[in-house]
Structure formats: C-alpha cells, structure tokens
Amino acid sequence: MEKRTGRQRSQLPHCYYEGYLEKRSFKDKKSRKLWTCLCGNTLYFFNGKRDTDYVEKLDLSGFISITDDGSVDHNLDAARLSLQMKDENIKFTAPNAVARELWKGFIYSVTELSVPSSLNLLPGQIHMLKEIVENEKERVKNISPPDVTNSDPVVSVQVDMPACYHNVSRLEAELLLDREAERGNMLLRPGSNGNSFAVSTRQDLNGSIFKHYRVTQKHEGGFTIDVDDPVLCATLHDVINYLVEKTERVLIPLIIEEAYEKNISYIWSDNENGEKSVQDAPSNLIPPSVPPKPVALSLPTPEPALATVVEESLYLNDMLEEAEEQEKDSSAVPLPEPDKKAPKKAMMPPTAAPRKLAPTTSIPSSSSSTNNKKKTGHTHPLGQTISELKQRLEKQARCLE
C-alpha cells in the first residue's frame, strides 16, 4: 500500500487536547485505534503517537451533538461516545470515563465557544476549558477571510460534479475503492487542503496499489491535473474522461447508484389478532387527476315570478273572452264599458219628470222604447236594467195620475 502523507504536525494549529481514540464510522468495516489531536476546530488522526503525518482529519464545523454511547465494550474500563455530524455519525471509544468527559468538554468548547455545564469535571478542568474557549475565539478572529476567487471548488462546482464524485477523505477513498472493486477503481474526491480536488485510483499488482492525483482549479477557469507535465481540462468531467482514455479504459469510474424500491408497499396491521404484515399496493391505481382551473361564475338571470305569469295569463284569457263576446254581439250597439279601476259610484234612481198635460207624453215613450227594442234586439244587461227601471217609474207616474 502506498504511504499516506498529510500535513506535518508542526504545520497544524495549536493542539488543545490529544490521546488515543478508537474510531468507527458507517463506512468503516471495523474500528481503528488512532492517535487523535484536537487542533483548532478539527480532529487529526495519526496511526501512532510519534507520527508526524496525519492519515485522516475531521472538520467539526458540521458539529451537531456529542453524547454518551451506552453500548458495552469488550474492555470494561472503556467508555464510548457518539459524535453526530451533519452528514454522518461517528462512534468513538475512549480509554475510560474520565477521558470521555474531557473529549466531550474540549469538542463542545471549540465548536460552541462556551464551556458546557452538564459535564462532570473538576474545577481545574473547567478553568482549562475556559482558557481554550478564549484561545479559540482569538484564533478564529485572526483567520483572514478566504479569497473569493480561491473559494472552495466543491461548493462552486457542486452542481456539475461527475457521477464518480464522493465526499470522502484520502483513507476513506482507499477503503471505498477496496470494498467496491467490482464496480470501479477510480473516484473523484475533495482535496486535503479544501481548495482542490483529488483523483484516487486502485489497481492490483501482487496486492492493492493506490494512486492519488491532485486536481487544482485555475483562477482564469478550468482545472489542472498536477503531474510532471500538467494537463489542463475545461471541466471535472474532462478530467475523468482524460484519465479513462489515456489509460485505455483500464480506469473505471466508481459510480454507486442508490437502491430504490420497485413496488409501493405498506405495513398492514390486523385489528383482530394484532399481527402486522407487508402488503403491496395495487398496481392498477388510477393516478389522481389534475383539478380543473377555476372558472368565473356567471349569475343566472332572474326568472319572472309565478304570480306575474298567472296574472298575465288571466289577462290574456280575459282578452280572448272579450274578443269572442265582441264577435257575438257585433250587431248590438256597443255601450261604454265602465272602468274597472275607477271607483264605483252609487246609482241614484232618476227623479220623476214634471207632469205634463199632453196625454201623448207617455205613449211616445212606450212606443219609442218598443221600437228601440225592435231595433236593438239583444241589448246589454245594464241597458235592460235601466229600461226596466224607466218602465216602473212610468207606471208609478200613471198610477199617481
């Protein structure tokens, strides 16, 4: 295996605390005992206490929490703790409970810049943590802001990453390539300094041989493979394609596709016996339809009231009946029809005419009335009533004579 080299210990920030820790993450097959140094807000791991080159580092900027792990270790004196980061959970095993409390206190102090109050520490240890908090605040204040043109390329080109990009360290890349040898033997990862990339490869020659190539981002654009004869590429995709073509496709990008379910299933519980089973949803389900777009409502025109229709129909019927009566009585003399709307007036009997000596006064009236009857024929009922009243008055007049 190729020797792994990192920054010299003398080039690291001031070390606040150090000691042996057994480290195991989700990607590790087994735990590894490493000499761990807390320098600034980063954990650096070394194979041995006297090594000058670290093999792995862990940036604590994504710190979420650090808690005790109650699982039992084969070493009864050992104490486990769990470090929760934004993208992973890492298990550590300290030599004893006192060391575990100190690691928790130091990690919490440099990440939160405050002394935790929930730990079982001695007054001298708490005073030491307060000094660490002040030193870390001063260190953060003196750090020069990063150059915009030299920003982290992982963030700037994250959208256009090749499929073989994996956010792993140098050691984790070797373990991943060794474990997934059947899928590929080359991957792209972040560089050790945070401002570059690296291509890690694995090949077999009497064992595993690992190679690492630095890929730097140019200020004017593009990327360079840092070898004796630098190779300039426009994008990271071109970097991977160049390595594949120049090695006659011996290097194969490691692409790990996530597994997805092929069918929709759910856990069904029987209310009678309480048993639970996995059920597959029917495949002939009708997909939900898109709701129609709202349409402006149009107000309906008001319909005429029923009473109006009835009155109108009665009025038309009356007009038809009157038209029929006019056709029947066309020969009769029309009399003025009284106005229905006008108020009715009381009908007064006519006053008796003054007495005349001429004996023929009543005869012409009777003859004239008889002639009128003959001429008019059928008269209006009101006209008949008037004529009858006249006749009665004439009879009364004759009787008085």
Side-chain angles (χ1 to χ4, degrees):
M1 182 181 293
E2 184 185 37
K3 183 180 177 181
R4 297 179 294 270
T5 60
R7 292 174 62 186
Q8 296 290 326
R9 184 178 296 191
S10 59
Q11 298 176 349
L12 300 179
H14 178 69
C15 181
Y16 296 137
Y17 190 67
E18 58 184 347
Y20 275 111
L21 285 176
E22 290 188 14
K23 175 181 175 293
R24 182 172 184 175
S25 63
F26 178 76
K27 300 176 182 179
D28 298 330
K29 293 182 179 180
K30 60 180 181 179
S31 60
R32 294 172 294 127
K33 188 176 181 180
L34 301 171
W35 183 260
T36 308
C37 296
L38 177 61
C39 302
N41 64 339
T42 305
L43 289 172
Y44 293 90
F45 302 95
F46 301 84
N47 286 326
K49 181 179 180 180
R50 299 183 182 277
D51 289 354
T52 58
D53 299 330
Y54 68 88
V55 294
E56 190 179 347
K57 71 174 182 177
L58 177 62
D59 188 2
L60 297 177
S61 58
F63 170 82
I64 295 179
S65 64
I66 182 169
T67 56
D68 294 341
D69 187 354
S71 57
V72 181
D73 191 81
H74 63 277
N75 183 6
L76 298 180
D77 294 333
R80 295 183 174 182
L81 63 155
S82 176
L83 178 62
Q84 182 64 49
M85 306 295 290
K86 288 183 179 180
D87 54 351
E88 62 178 335
N89 182 271
I90 305 174
K91 304 290 185 180
F92 291 103
T93 302
N96 48 59
V98 176
R100 180 177 64 181
E101 290 296 305
L102 287 173
W103 276 112
K104 288 165 57 179
F106 278 100
I107 292 176
Y108 191 91
S109 298
V110 298
T111 54
E112 301 295 332
L113 297 179
S114 62
V115 178
S117 59
S118 59
L119 301 179
N120 297 324
L121 299 175
L122 298 175
Q125 295 171 340
I126 295 176
H127 178 73
M128 183 170 53
L129 292 181
K130 290 181 179 179
E131 292 182 353
I132 296 300
V133 171
E134 297 299 326
N135 294 336
E136 182 63 14
K137 288 181 179 179
E138 189 68 22
R139 186 188 72 85
V140 173
K141 187 186 299 183
N142 295 332
I143 295 177
S144 58
D147 189 2
V148 177
T149 58
N150 195 22
S151 60
D152 188 358
V154 177
V155 178
S156 59
V157 295
Q158 187 73 30
V159 180
D160 194 25
M161 280 294 180
C164 63
Y165 174 80
H166 300 274
N167 188 15
V168 293
S169 64
R170 185 188 187 97
L171 179 59
E172 291 173 342
E174 295 180 358
L175 296 174
L176 183 60
L177 290 171
D178 200 10
R179 185 172 65 246
E180 304 292 342
E182 296 180 356
R183 297 188 180 185
N185 54 11
M186 177 179 63
L187 61 81
L188 179 69
R189 61 178 178 85
S192 58
N193 59 0
N195 293 326
S196 62
F197 293 93
V199 175
S200 299
T201 64
R202 174 192 176 277
Q203 293 180 330
D204 291 324
L205 182 62
N206 299 326
S208 299
I209 298 179
F210 295 94
K211 299 288 185 180
H212 303 275
Y213 302 93
R214 184 187 300 275
V215 179
T216 58
Q217 186 176 8
K218 308 298 289 183
H219 293 287
E220 60 273 11
F223 299 87
T224 301
I225 304 176
D226 290 340
V227 289
D228 291 340
D229 187 9
V231 179
L232 180 62
C233 300
T235 63
L236 291 174
H237 291 274
D238 297 334
V239 171
I240 300 300
N241 294 335
Y242 177 85
L243 293 174
V244 171
E245 294 175 359
K246 292 300 180 180
T247 58
E248 299 180 357
R249 300 189 179 276
V250 173
L251 295 180
I252 302 173
L254 175 59
I255 300 175
I256 301 177
E257 296 182 355
E258 297 180 355
Y260 295 95
E261 299 294 335
K262 301 298 182 182
N263 298 317
I264 300 175
S265 60
Y266 61 96
I267 299 176
W268 181 78
S269 178
D270 192 347
N271 296 329
E272 295 181 357
N273 53 21
E275 294 182 356
K276 295 183 179 180
S277 59
V278 179
Q279 301 288 334
D280 291 333
S283 58
N284 56 352
L285 293 177
I286 301 175
S289 58
V290 181
K293 294 182 179 180
V295 181
L297 298 176
S298 58
L299 298 176
T301 55
E303 297 180 356
L306 182 60
T308 308
V309 177
V310 174
E311 291 178 2
E312 185 176 359
S313 60
L314 292 175
Y315 178 72
L316 293 175
N317 290 338
D318 293 341
M319 292 180 64
L320 292 174
E321 291 177 358
E322 289 177 3
E324 291 178 357
E325 290 179 358
Q326 288 179 2
E327 290 179 359
K328 291 179 181 179
D329 302 337
S330 57
S331 59
V333 178
L335 295 176
E337 193 172 331
D339 190 3
K340 294 181 180 180
K341 296 182 180 179
K344 296 181 180 181
K345 295 182 180 180
M347 183 176 289
M348 299 298 293
T351 57
R355 185 176 178 180
K356 295 182 181 181
L357 296 176
T360 58
T361 55
S362 60
I363 297 172
S365 63
S366 60
S367 60
S368 63
S369 61
T370 306
N371 294 333
N372 289 335
K373 288 180 182 180
K374 292 179 181 180
K375 291 180 181 179
T376 56
H378 299 285
T379 60
H380 197 276
L382 187 57
Q384 266 185 350
T385 305
I386 295 173
S387 62
E388 289 177 359
L389 289 174
K390 285 182 179 181
Q391 289 178 4
R392 290 178 184 177
L393 291 175
E394 289 177 357
K395 287 181 181 181
Q396 289 177 2
R398 283 197 295 269
C399 292
L400 290 174
E401 290 179 355

